[in-house]
Amino acid sequence: MSTFASAPKSDADHRLPTNVKPSHYDLTFKTDLEELEFKGYGVIHLDVHEETKEIVFNASVDLTVSDVSIHSESLKTEQVQSASEIKIEKDEERVTVLFPHALPKGSKAKLHLGWAAKLTGSMT
């Protein structure tokens, strides 16, 4: 008896894009043990290596992402942009955030975002 397994994914399938690189994380978590949930807010400092309108990051499928914005003094239109679209890829456990204006190559930015989820026994 033989079985067929799907082709293994390449390293590129697991790696995040390199258009931006995080340099520092300021994260706040709040747990509610009565409701069995947690919430949080973060500011992620980014170095922009390629001009981009999108930022991709890993996130658990159970996580709800909200209040996403980006701040950069390099933006010519305005310094703070709210996300124009948030795409959740549950199979890949990734979130792609799109912004209306591109972040310039070589600039620095701060990604602001909130999240919430139910507390579970899972560590994934």
Side-chain angles (χ1 to χ4, degrees):
M1 178 166 142
S2 60
T3 59
F4 295 95
S6 60
K9 292 187 175 189
S10 71
D11 284 345
D13 292 333
H14 297 287
R15 299 207 185 269
L16 293 173
T18 58
N19 57 344
V20 297
K21 182 177 179 182
S23 60
H24 183 78
Y25 296 85
D26 292 319
L27 307 175
T28 302
F29 293 87
K30 179 182 177 187
T31 56
D32 185 336
L33 298 178
E34 290 180 13
E35 296 294 323
L36 292 176
E37 64 184 19
F38 69 93
K39 298 177 181 179
Y41 185 78
V43 179
I44 303 168
H45 300 241
L46 303 170
D47 295 325
V48 182
H49 294 289
E50 298 172 26
E51 182 176 296
T52 187
K53 287 184 173 186
E54 71 176 31
I55 296 173
V56 180
F57 54 90
N58 294 320
S60 170
V61 295
D62 299 326
L63 200 66
T64 301
V65 177
S66 62
D67 302 322
V68 181
S69 64
I70 194 101
H71 177 271
S72 176
E73 293 183 9
S74 299
L75 293 171
K76 296 188 187 316
T77 55
E78 51 189 274
Q79 290 186 348
V80 178
Q81 296 184 68
S82 293
S84 58
E85 186 177 355
I86 300 173
K87 297 179 187 177
I88 299 170
E89 302 170 55
K90 291 194 181 262
D91 290 341
E92 300 296 324
E93 294 189 335
R94 288 188 179 176
V95 174
T96 301
V97 181
L98 302 171
F99 294 98
H101 303 284
L103 297 167
K105 178 180 180 176
S107 65
K108 296 196 179 289
K110 293 179 184 175
L111 178 68
H112 298 252
L113 68 152
W115 59 82
K118 291 287 185 187
L119 286 172
T120 66
S122 172
M123 292 298 289
T124 59

